[in-house]
Structure formats: structure tokens, C-alpha cells
Amino acid sequence: MSSVKPVIVRARHGARIALALSAVLTLAACGAQIDRHGHVFVDVDLSQIQAGISKDQVKSVLGSPDTTSTIGGDAYYYISTTQKSVAFLKPWEIDRQVVAVYFDGGEKVQQVANYGLKDGIVVNYYKGETPARGKDLTLLEQIFGNISNRKMFKDQRPGAGGIPGPGGGL
């Protein structure tokens, strides 16, 4: 009898180890993922952008801008964002860097500005939904609204004889 008891104890101990190991692997799979999008900034390149250099020189150092502006003067914008996501949850932005290079009328750099996440707000340009006109109806309102609008049970015109459809009778 004494030889059976140690086997049961070892089996329970092995089950506990397997359970602990599976819990650790499950939690490790839910670790955070960091994604970087947009421009990759290098401090050496940014230090080369000085007032007075031309647009072409800016493009040769930083590359093509992510976006440009001509409102209130000419400008190039280089944008980088960092997002964090955990498991199946929606990712959220944890860092943003925008380098704005403003040009004067002679297409020379007038000013370089650095903006971060604290300087702006997150703007969702695309929601993935099409706005609908009118009122949102519940399921019951849709069902009963269709029945009453189509007059499915009888033709309500006087003298029509109760037969639905374009002739109304015999």
C-alpha cells in the first residue's frame, strides 16, 4: 500500500506543475506589442536641418515628407507614431512625434518645430461606418412599420374588395 501513495502524490505534483506552466505560457502570449509607424527619425539627420537650407536639401536629408501644407506658408511634415496593443484589445497611441519644417517665400527653411503627443489630439480620420439619414429604428419598429406601410392584410381603398394588388378586384 505504501508504494501506491507516492505515485498519487507525484501525479498531483506533476499536474500542478503542468497547470502552472500553462498559466505562464498563456500570460506570456498576452504580452504587449509595440508597433511603430511612419518616419524613422535619426538625431544626426535632424541636426542637419537648419534655417536657410533649401527644400531639396531637406528632402535629401529626411526624404519625402509624409504630408505637406500650403496654407499660411509652405511646410513639410514628417510624422512618426508608436502604438501599443495587448491581446485582442484595440491598440492605443502611446507616442507621436511630428517634425514640421516651415519654408519662407524663397523656398528656404525658415523654422523647424518638433511636436509630440502632448501638443495635439488623436484624430480618427476613418471610422469605418457610413452615416445613415433618418431615425434609427429598433427591430420591432422595423417589423411592425413594414407591415403597416405595405398594408399586407387587406386593401384599404373603399370598394376594392379586399384583394391586394393593382386591380383590387375581379
Side-chain angles (χ1 to χ4, degrees):
M1 241 350 167
S2 64
S3 64
V4 173
K5 191 172 184 180
V7 171
I8 294 172
V9 171
R10 280 187 228 138
R12 287 184 184 163
H13 183 67
R16 288 181 186 154
I17 290 174
L19 181 64
L21 184 61
S22 67
V24 167
L25 290 175
T26 302
L27 290 175
C30 294
Q33 180 178 346
I34 304 295
D35 293 318
R36 290 178 176 79
H37 302 278
H39 199 81
V40 177
F41 294 108
V42 180
D43 291 336
V44 174
D45 294 341
L46 291 176
S47 66
Q48 293 179 24
I49 307 302
Q50 302 283 332
I53 66 172
S54 70
K55 277 186 174 184
D56 291 335
Q57 289 173 315
V58 171
K59 280 187 180 178
S60 69
V61 173
L62 295 179
S64 295
D66 296 315
T67 188
T68 60
S69 172
T70 56
I71 298 173
D74 205 8
Y76 285 173
Y77 297 99
Y78 297 90
I79 304 166
S80 173
T81 60
T82 305
Q83 292 183 334
K84 183 176 184 177
S85 60
V86 177
F88 56 86
L89 300 175
K90 183 177 179 181
W92 64 94
E93 190 173 22
I94 58 173
D95 188 31
R96 179 188 321 141
Q97 184 178 5
V98 177
V99 173
V101 182
Y102 299 103
F103 298 98
D104 60 13
E107 295 189 350
K108 300 287 184 185
V109 173
Q110 180 181 13
Q111 177 187 2
V112 178
N114 289 308
Y115 301 106
L117 190 59
K118 67 182 182 328
D119 297 318
I121 59 171
V122 177
V123 177
N124 293 327
Y125 293 104
Y126 177 71
K127 288 185 174 182
E129 60 186 41
T130 303
R133 294 179 16 194
K135 176 183 160 190
D136 290 334
L137 301 175
T138 64
L139 179 64
L140 291 176
E141 288 175 327
Q142 290 176 9
I143 292 171
F144 290 119
N146 285 336
I147 290 172
S148 67
N149 286 339
R150 294 191 180 155
K151 302 173 186 158
M152 294 175 68
F153 298 115
K154 64 178 183 175
D155 191 356
Q156 297 180 355
R157 292 180 293 156
I163 300 174
L170 298 171

